[in-house]
Amino acid sequence: MASGQLSRAEALACSGCRHACHVMLYADTKAQLFGRIPIKHIILMQMRFDGLLGFPGGLVNPSEETLESGLSRELSEELGLALPISVEDHVDSCYAAPSSPSSSSRLITHFYVKKMDEEQIREVERAAASTAADHGLEVLGMVRVPLYTMKGGGGLASFLSHSFIGNARSQLVHSMLRLHLVAPGELHKALMHSLKTHA
Ligand code: GTP
Ligand code: MN
Ligand code: MN
Ligand code: MN
Ligand code: MN
Ligand code: MN
């Protein structure tokens, strides 16, 4: 495990910590942009109330709910659908960087990944934009991540140059690599380009 990471059990042993769980929902697709650029995969993120990109999910209270049932509850609020999340969907847990030096209790963020069908992703998008209680409040909208690179460099590089909450950007990058959603060389180029466009 990388430094700063802890196992699910170690994380839960910290009684004084606050816990947040977020999930990357994704699917394969045969769709092509402009009829020629393969979309390959749909990854869902959200535009948050604070203008930052992040994954759906939120704060969980382990004294009242399991991490996974708490994440399901957050998904009901933010996506308008009760998606079952299981322990097998857990990827990693780590300490979040303190948001302010005076913040009292440490935050542990738990990350999950769940593969769905393209039609299930569409159902999530429909519910998130209509019946979700948090729509237009905590969540301004769901967005798909462009995984391709256009001739001028647009696509993934431009997406990565936006601002993300916490370590959501590295959660996205590591997941794309681990699940082979983008070729390593293409991802590397997009990361280099996103730093340039950011400056
Ligand atoms: P409230 O209902 O207003 O409490 O929000 P919430 O429960 O939905 O919490 P939120 O999703 O904002 O997550 C809680 C904290 O986790 C945030 O303040 C961030 O520090 C962190 N966080 C939020 N989204 C992500 C994410 O996608 N990845 C990571 N690593 N951390 C996140
Ligand atoms: Mn068009
Ligand atoms: Mn929430
Ligand atoms: Mn949230
Ligand atoms: Mn919440
Ligand atoms: Mn809330």
Side-chain angles (χ1 to χ4, degrees):
M1 262 182 289
S3 66
Q5 294 205 3
L6 47 169
S7 72
R8 193 178 172 285
E10 284 171 328
L12 283 171
C14 178
S15 52
C17 291
R18 290 176 305 133
H19 297 266
C21 298
H22 294 89
V23 64
M24 184 181 102
L25 303 174
Y26 79 106
D28 298 336
T29 179
K30 293 191 163 66
Q32 295 195 336
L33 174 64
F34 309 135
R36 60 186 162 81
I37 301 170
I39 301 287
K40 291 183 185 160
H41 311 281
I42 302 166
I43 296 177
L44 285 189
M45 294 195 77
Q46 63 185 22
M47 178 55 71
R48 296 160 42 93
F49 63 94
D50 53 13
L52 300 174
L53 290 164
F55 291 100
L59 294 170
V60 165
N61 187 346
S63 66
E64 294 173 355
E65 55 193 354
T66 65
L67 293 177
E68 291 74 27
S69 61
L71 176 52
S72 269
R73 173 187 53 71
E74 280 292 337
L75 298 180
S76 306
E77 297 167 8
E78 299 187 359
L79 305 178
L81 276 180
L83 293 176
I85 301 291
S86 78
V87 180
E88 285 81 64
D89 302 321
H90 178 258
V91 175
D92 59 22
S93 302
C94 63
Y95 287 113
S99 50
S100 77
S102 58
S103 57
S104 49
S105 55
R106 294 195 81 174
L107 174 70
I108 296 178
T109 55
H110 306 270
F111 187 60
Y112 294 74
V113 167
K114 189 177 167 73
K115 188 168 188 184
M116 309 178 82
D117 297 334
E118 184 170 4
E119 186 44 44
Q120 291 177 302
I121 291 279
R122 287 179 181 276
E123 196 184 338
V124 168
E125 290 172 321
R126 281 194 295 269
S130 53
T131 54
D134 284 341
H135 177 65
L137 300 170
E138 279 181 44
V139 184
L140 302 181
M142 302 307 296
V143 293
R144 295 183 180 197
V145 179
L147 299 182
Y148 44 81
T149 301
M150 320 262 315
K151 281 212 181 71
L156 183 56
S158 296
F159 187 86
L160 292 173
S161 71
H162 290 301
S163 298
F164 293 78
I165 180 81
N167 65 349
R169 185 177 186 267
S170 64
Q171 285 172 332
L172 171 65
V173 168
H174 287 131
S175 301
M176 290 188 295
L177 264 184
R178 194 172 62 81
L179 300 166
H180 308 288
L181 305 183
V182 179
E186 202 180 334
L187 182 56
H188 181 77
K189 264 189 229 161
L191 282 167
M192 299 307 286
H193 194 84
S194 73
L195 295 174
K196 268 181 242 157
T197 54
H198 213 52

